[in-house]
Amino acid sequence: MSDKIVKYTLNERDIPRYWYNVQADLPEPLPPPLHPMTGQPLTPPDLAPLFPMELIMQEVSTERWIEIPEEIIDVYRLWRPTTLFRARRLEKVLDTPAKIFYKYEGVSPPGSHKPNTSVAQAYYNKKEGITRIATETGAGQWGSALSFAGACFGLEIKVYMVRVSYDQKPYRRIMMEAWGANCVPSPSPDTNVGRRVLADDPDCPGSLGLAISEAVEDAMTRDDTHYSLGSVLNHVLLHNTINGLEAKVLMEEADAYPDIIIGCAGGGSNAAGLFLPFLKDKLDGTKPDLRVINVEPYSCPTLTKGPYAYDYGDSAKLAPIVKMYTLGHGYMPPPIHAGGLRYHGMAPLTCHLLKLGLVEAKAVHQLETFQAGITFARTEGILSAPETMHAIRAVIDEALACKESGEAKTILFNHSGHGHVDMHAYDAYLSGKLQDYEYPDALIKEALADLPKVG
Amino acid sequence: MSDKIVKYTLNERDIPRYWYNVQADLPEPLPPPLHPMTGQPLTPPDLAPLFPMELIMQEVSTERWIEIPEEIIDVYRLWRPTTLFRARRLEKVLDTPAKIFYKYEGVSPPGSHKPNTSVAQAYYNKKEGITRIATETGAGQWGSALSFAGACFGLEIKVYMVRVSYDQKPYRRIMMEAWGANCVPSPSPDTNVGRRVLADDPDCPGSLGLAISEAVEDAMTRDDTHYSLGSVLNHVLLHNTINGLEAKVLMEEADAYPDIIIGCAGGGSNAAGLFLPFLKDKLDGTKPDLRVINVEPYSCPTLTKGPYAYDYGDSAKLAPIVKMYTLGHGYMPPPIHAGGLRYHGMAPLTCHLLKLGLVEAKAVHQLETFQAGITFARTEGILSAPETMHAIRAVIDEALACKESGEAKTILFNHSGHGHVDMHAYDAYLSGKLQDYEYPDALIKEALADLPKVG
């Protein structure tokens, strides 16, 4: 049967024991991050109030392989290694000669790839004697993943959740509380930044940049507390490479190598987690033709429309200044359902690779992503998160291009999470209430006018 | 580390190829089901308007092993075999000498054990030329599982969803629609039964018994349509034995055999799916001391409070009359969140085994189930469905009894599904708004007054 489900699995003992650090293999190093106050290159001690030293060292390390502590592997075991599927039914309905593979990360307890790093971050903080972590979350994938990790290691977790999501999407907030975390809407009265914003506008809907500011302030003002970020940073991408390393072994088992790797990109970590271990082969010249596509929403077109510039990671200018494609730290994208893709910036590593021409980027509209998500649900059986649908859209487009050209390309994508908590978004689409947004030209121009004058 | 996560997995090639049919090993046969009109024993042709002949023959078969068609295995592959975990962290927090194992069924695309049978039922219907299946659903686990299976085999699915759930719990309804099914609130204007009820009471909240009546009428009045039930029937329990068969191999791998097997019981299929392959060892005398506990809600205490009597499967008396513990086909239990456990009857097989003293039953209150569910989330990391929390409650009680007695018993339970779509229930519990209900004595007495005079 041509539509037989084919999957490739690893044994538990084959969980990778090292993360892959692409900084060992870059043709030129990353531009340095800068101190938000001084504009001078950051030193590890500058970051000590926010992160445990092991994560700070991973952030700047050029060691190629970084050993995964046994305590982290112990928790990864709950859902790792994850499965590689060949999407035969999708191929059939598209009538494409392309071979489509996907790695499925939706089986983790919070339902996404995010615990690959939340578990690691919780562990290193615990090891350094930290008892409490503050973080921000948009739609709630990251907040719930860190809350899960906090429960695993007995840490107190405080989550500042963008208020519009807190009000409209309570399910993720409740998940955090079920794992024992404290989740408040941002802006909150719990920080100076939050209080200032609330004084100006008690009904402020919040933004990811603002929630980051609150979490960073929280961490900087309490000795027992560190800060944690769920994407963007080098160590976050590093932790997610466990997925790409598994995928590489499994693709070998499938006797295949990808011509194209695709992932959705908000902060960049799920896509990079899959593609970095393969990109190693492009960097060393073994696979010069490998294509990598980061897929972002047209409403938040960081990689496709933003300039490559130094910018703040947050709206209150408390987080480090990094070189990245950016839409401006004050940018507030339209309310698309893929809340995890609404960040103004992008992982400096992904941006650096794009600038060097080693990876690509593509922007897609909301409606076409849901169309792709429904096609996937009705062929492959899995209900995808709205973020993941961005990757699926690009996969289908590439597979249809193969149908045109007659090329039997091998496409691999990261299925970053299930959509069981996003059913309201499906409802809006299926009932015809979902919309696309105009390109937010004026908003982006305004936000870009406020880039820092550094670097 | 004593709290290290331990799991046991099977290779894909080790998916069982046969279901186990306990009817081959019963000390005495099941009382026969009766025709709802005549009160006479049902014959296979009586059921032909509702079910494909292969399922009808499975319903009455006394063959011990029934081969699983390759086409069903092909779909099972998407999430099977599932993992057996040792709940070391839970053991530690309970400070119990008991060893707690659980089989985790929440990784299927709809998030529960239900597709073990929905996929099989969709396949046999497809094979017989049926193009459309009608069914009912309470909270929506079953409706979404059959919708998923319909998408896998290209069948049209019509779901009659108990109206109070349709209105209050839209997520499962949207899941069904995402997979392409048509879901309507029951009572609906689409059937005679529904129209009659609506004429009397336009605001009727519906019940599972009524929704079954609508689905049965739909199937009986259309040539292209069959009916499908997600629990209770022998063939449904049969299909779920794939889980117990996997568990048996995995327990051997763990070098353990359960002293006690626990599952929540609404219609009975998830508990029986796990325990039947082990019960075989009790029936043949190999494991005479094996205990099996079916856990039900105190608000719907079918096994613990109902009489063992012939009763209709549905409120409109269209479905077969079967011998079971029952609270009366008109019983409407209080609105507990475990919607899947609100059925007035129970699988005749489970009831027969209870009557013979081969299995036990236990009723638990709602609040104590959520307390257990939160403990499980914060130790083992998995957010459980409210139905599953009933099993977890009983597991914790048994583990604490072991702590008292100092016995290191081995407890195995079925984790039937994740609770990502039940976050409103968690919210009610965590915010102190959840309640227990008085024992519904008067309601049960009233419903029992209407048992059929047969058998």
Side-chain angles (χ1 to χ4, degrees):
Chain A
M1 270 175 73
S2 70
D3 56 352
K4 179 173 165 167
I5 286 169
V6 181
K7 71 177 184 184
Y8 304 91
T9 55
L10 289 173
N11 286 316
E12 188 187 346
R13 61 175 176 276
D14 299 325
I15 292 181
R17 299 290 155 158
Y18 294 83
W19 292 301
Y20 168 61
N21 180 15
V22 74
Q23 292 191 81
D25 295 317
L26 292 175
E28 45 188 276
L30 281 176
L34 308 178
H35 196 289
M37 309 292 186
T38 65
Q40 295 303 307
L42 272 179
T43 61
D46 291 334
L47 293 170
L50 294 181
F51 303 106
M53 197 46 67
E54 291 211 49
L55 290 179
I56 294 170
M57 297 320 290
Q58 288 177 5
E59 193 64 19
V60 297
S61 170
T62 53
E63 290 288 315
R64 183 168 293 116
W65 300 103
I66 294 180
E67 190 167 6
I68 309 176
E70 194 57 40
E71 292 87 344
I72 295 174
I73 300 271
D74 278 350
V75 181
Y76 279 169
R77 272 200 189 96
L78 193 49
W79 74 98
R80 306 212 70 87
T82 64
T83 301
L84 177 76
F85 289 96
R86 169 97 181 262
R88 296 288 290 267
R89 290 163 187 250
L90 178 61
E91 291 169 16
K92 191 178 175 190
V93 84
L94 297 176
D95 190 22
T96 175
K99 296 186 186 75
I100 302 174
F101 292 88
Y102 67 98
K103 190 85 182 322
Y104 184 46
E105 290 279 285
V107 291
S108 75
S112 80
H113 68 289
K114 291 281 188 191
N116 291 334
T117 185
S118 73
V119 168
Q121 292 190 46
Y123 166 73
Y124 288 117
N125 274 290
K126 171 89 173 183
K127 198 178 156 201
E128 203 171 272
I130 287 293
T131 58
R132 184 175 173 276
I133 300 179
T135 196
E136 74 291 327
T137 198
Q141 282 277 17
W142 170 245
S144 52
L146 189 66
S147 301
F148 158 71
C152 292
F153 289 103
L155 293 168
E156 195 184 332
I157 305 292
K158 170 79 173 260
V159 183
Y160 295 88
M161 183 172 187
V162 176
R163 180 166 171 185
V164 60
S165 294
Y166 184 95
D167 290 340
Q168 290 176 3
K169 303 180 178 182
Y171 270 37
R172 285 271 167 205
R173 185 256 305 161
I174 305 165
M175 288 173 85
M176 299 178 220
E177 291 171 350
W179 276 309
N182 175 15
C183 176
V184 296
S186 165
S188 80
D190 300 357
T191 65
N192 288 324
V193 172
R195 284 187 288 270
R196 270 204 305 275
V197 173
L198 286 173
D200 276 356
D201 176 7
D203 298 322
C204 174
S207 73
L208 208 49
L210 176 59
I212 295 176
S213 301
E214 288 207 273
V216 169
E217 181 189 321
D218 181 318
M220 286 172 64
T221 51
R222 285 183 59 154
D223 282 346
D224 63 349
T225 301
H226 269 165
Y227 169 70
S228 173
L229 189 63
S231 192
V232 178
L233 298 177
N234 302 342
H235 68 264
V236 177
L237 275 58
L238 173 77
H239 301 153
N240 274 288
T241 61
I242 189 166
N243 188 38
L245 291 163
E246 288 177 5
K248 227 174 153 181
V249 177
L250 290 166
M251 287 295 283
E252 264 180 54
E253 198 185 299
D255 201 18
Y257 193 94
D259 297 300
I260 308 172
I261 301 179
I262 293 174
C264 62
S269 69
N270 105 69
L274 181 66
F275 75 65
L276 285 174
F278 292 92
L279 196 76
K280 180 171 181 296
D281 303 334
K282 188 179 174 94
L283 293 169
D284 72 14
T286 317
K287 295 285 182 184
D289 298 328
L290 172 64
R291 288 180 61 203
V292 169
I293 307 175
N294 293 276
V295 190
E296 61 186 10
Y298 190 75
S299 297
C300 193
T302 315
L303 292 170
T304 51
K305 299 282 188 180
Y308 188 51
Y310 270 107
D311 195 8
Y312 297 99
D314 69 325
S315 67
K317 309 179 184 180
L318 296 174
I321 300 171
V322 293
K323 188 94 179 259
M324 58 185 175
Y325 290 89
T326 178
L327 300 170
H329 56 272
Y331 177 62
M332 291 264 255
I336 55 167
H337 281 282
L341 307 183
R342 294 177 73 245
Y343 184 58
H344 69 275
M346 184 64 69
L349 264 173
T350 299
C351 296
H352 186 62
L353 293 168
L354 179 64
K355 185 69 183 175
L356 294 174
L358 291 162
V359 304
E360 305 168 35
K362 172 179 180 161
V364 294
H365 284 286
Q366 176 160 262
L367 283 174
E368 62 181 346
T369 65
F370 275 83
Q371 184 197 32
I374 289 291
T375 298
F376 194 77
R378 294 182 186 175
T379 51
E380 296 299 313
I382 291 173
L383 300 173
S384 311
E387 291 82 359
T388 313
M389 292 177 188
H390 285 67
I392 298 173
R393 176 72 262 166
V395 167
I396 291 178
D397 290 346
E398 291 296 332
L400 291 175
C402 284
K403 184 181 174 183
E404 280 296 309
S405 68
E407 291 171 284
K409 288 186 184 166
T410 297
I411 303 170
L412 168 66
F413 78 98
N414 201 31
H415 194 299
S416 54
H418 73 59
H420 292 189
V421 196
D422 301 284
M423 283 297 120
H424 56 283
Y426 276 82
D427 200 31
Y429 174 73
L430 291 167
S431 60
K433 288 178 200 144
L434 205 67
Q435 62 174 36
D436 279 334
Y437 295 93
E438 298 279 320
Y439 176 66
D441 200 28
L443 287 175
I444 293 175
K445 273 203 184 109
E446 189 189 331
L448 287 177
D450 195 29
L451 292 186
K453 307 291 179 291
V454 292
Chain B
M1 270 176 72
S2 69
D3 56 351
K4 178 171 165 170
I5 286 169
V6 181
K7 71 177 183 185
Y8 304 92
T9 55
L10 288 173
N11 286 316
E12 188 186 347
R13 62 175 176 275
D14 299 325
I15 292 181
R17 299 291 156 156
Y18 294 84
W19 292 301
Y20 168 61
N21 180 15
V22 74
Q23 292 192 81
D25 295 317
L26 291 175
E28 44 188 275
L30 280 176
L34 309 178
H35 195 287
M37 308 292 185
T38 64
Q40 294 304 307
L42 272 180
T43 62
D46 291 334
L47 293 169
L50 295 181
F51 302 106
M53 198 46 67
E54 292 211 47
L55 290 180
I56 294 169
M57 297 320 291
Q58 288 178 5
E59 195 63 19
V60 297
S61 171
T62 52
E63 290 287 316
R64 184 168 292 114
W65 300 104
I66 294 182
E67 190 167 7
I68 309 176
E70 194 57 40
E71 292 86 346
I72 294 173
I73 299 271
D74 278 350
V75 181
Y76 279 168
R77 272 201 189 93
L78 193 48
W79 74 97
R80 304 213 71 87
T82 64
T83 301
L84 176 77
F85 290 96
R86 168 97 182 263
R88 295 289 288 268
R89 289 165 187 250
L90 178 61
E91 291 169 16
K92 191 178 173 188
V93 84
L94 297 176
D95 190 22
T96 175
K99 295 187 187 73
I100 302 173
F101 292 87
Y102 67 98
K103 190 84 181 325
Y104 184 48
E105 290 280 285
V107 292
S108 76
S112 80
H113 67 290
K114 292 281 187 190
N116 292 334
T117 185
S118 73
V119 167
Q121 293 191 44
Y123 166 73
Y124 287 118
N125 274 290
K126 171 88 172 183
K127 198 177 157 203
E128 203 171 270
I130 287 292
T131 58
R132 184 174 173 277
I133 299 179
T135 197
E136 74 291 327
T137 200
Q141 282 277 15
W142 170 245
S144 53
L146 189 66
S147 301
F148 158 72
C152 292
F153 290 103
L155 293 168
E156 195 183 331
I157 305 292
K158 170 79 174 263
V159 182
Y160 296 87
M161 184 172 185
V162 177
R163 182 168 171 182
V164 61
S165 293
Y166 184 95
D167 290 340
Q168 288 176 4
K169 304 180 177 183
Y171 270 36
R172 286 271 167 204
R173 186 257 304 162
I174 305 164
M175 287 174 85
M176 299 177 219
E177 292 171 350
W179 276 308
N182 175 16
C183 176
V184 296
S186 167
S188 81
D190 300 358
T191 65
N192 288 325
V193 172
R195 283 187 289 270
R196 270 205 303 275
V197 174
L198 286 174
D200 276 355
D201 176 8
D203 298 322
C204 173
S207 73
L208 207 50
L210 176 58
I212 294 176
S213 300
E214 288 207 274
V216 169
E217 180 189 322
D218 182 318
M220 286 172 62
T221 52
R222 285 184 60 155
D223 282 346
D224 63 349
T225 301
H226 269 166
Y227 169 71
S228 174
L229 189 62
S231 192
V232 178
L233 298 177
N234 302 342
H235 67 264
V236 178
L237 274 58
L238 174 77
H239 301 154
N240 274 289
T241 61
I242 190 166
N243 188 39
L245 291 163
E246 288 177 5
K248 228 174 151 180
V249 178
L250 291 166
M251 286 296 284
E252 264 179 53
E253 198 185 299
D255 200 18
Y257 192 94
D259 297 300
I260 308 172
I261 301 179
I262 293 174
C264 61
S269 69
N270 105 70
L274 180 66
F275 75 65
L276 286 174
F278 291 92
L279 196 75
K280 182 173 180 298
D281 303 335
K282 188 179 175 92
L283 293 169
D284 72 13
T286 318
K287 296 285 180 185
D289 298 328
L290 172 64
R291 288 181 61 203
V292 168
I293 307 175
N294 293 275
V295 190
E296 61 186 10
Y298 189 76
S299 298
C300 193
T302 314
L303 294 170
T304 49
K305 300 280 187 180
Y308 187 51
Y310 269 106
D311 195 7
Y312 297 98
D314 68 325
S315 66
K317 309 179 184 180
L318 296 174
I321 300 171
V322 293
K323 188 93 179 261
M324 57 183 176
Y325 289 89
T326 179
L327 300 170
H329 57 271
Y331 177 62
M332 291 265 256
I336 54 166
H337 281 283
L341 306 184
R342 294 178 72 246
Y343 185 58
H344 69 275
M346 184 64 69
L349 265 174
T350 299
C351 296
H352 187 61
L353 294 168
L354 179 64
K355 185 70 183 174
L356 294 173
L358 292 162
V359 304
E360 306 168 33
K362 171 178 181 162
V364 294
H365 283 287
Q366 176 161 264
L367 284 174
E368 62 181 346
T369 66
F370 275 83
Q371 184 199 31
I374 289 290
T375 299
F376 194 77
R378 294 182 184 174
T379 51
E380 295 300 311
I382 291 173
L383 299 173
S384 312
E387 291 83 359
T388 313
M389 292 176 188
H390 286 68
I392 298 172
R393 177 71 262 165
V395 168
I396 291 178
D397 290 346
E398 291 296 331
L400 292 176
C402 285
K403 184 180 173 182
E404 281 297 309
S405 68
E407 291 171 286
K409 287 187 184 165
T410 297
I411 304 170
L412 168 66
F413 78 98
N414 201 31
H415 194 298
S416 55
H418 73 59
H420 292 188
V421 196
D422 300 283
M423 283 297 120
H424 55 282
Y426 277 82
D427 201 29
Y429 174 73
L430 292 167
S431 61
K433 288 177 199 144
L434 206 67
Q435 61 173 28
D436 279 334
Y437 294 93
E438 297 279 319
Y439 176 65
D441 199 28
L443 287 174
I444 292 174
K445 274 201 184 113
E446 188 189 330
L448 286 177
D450 195 28
L451 292 185
K453 308 289 178 291
V454 293

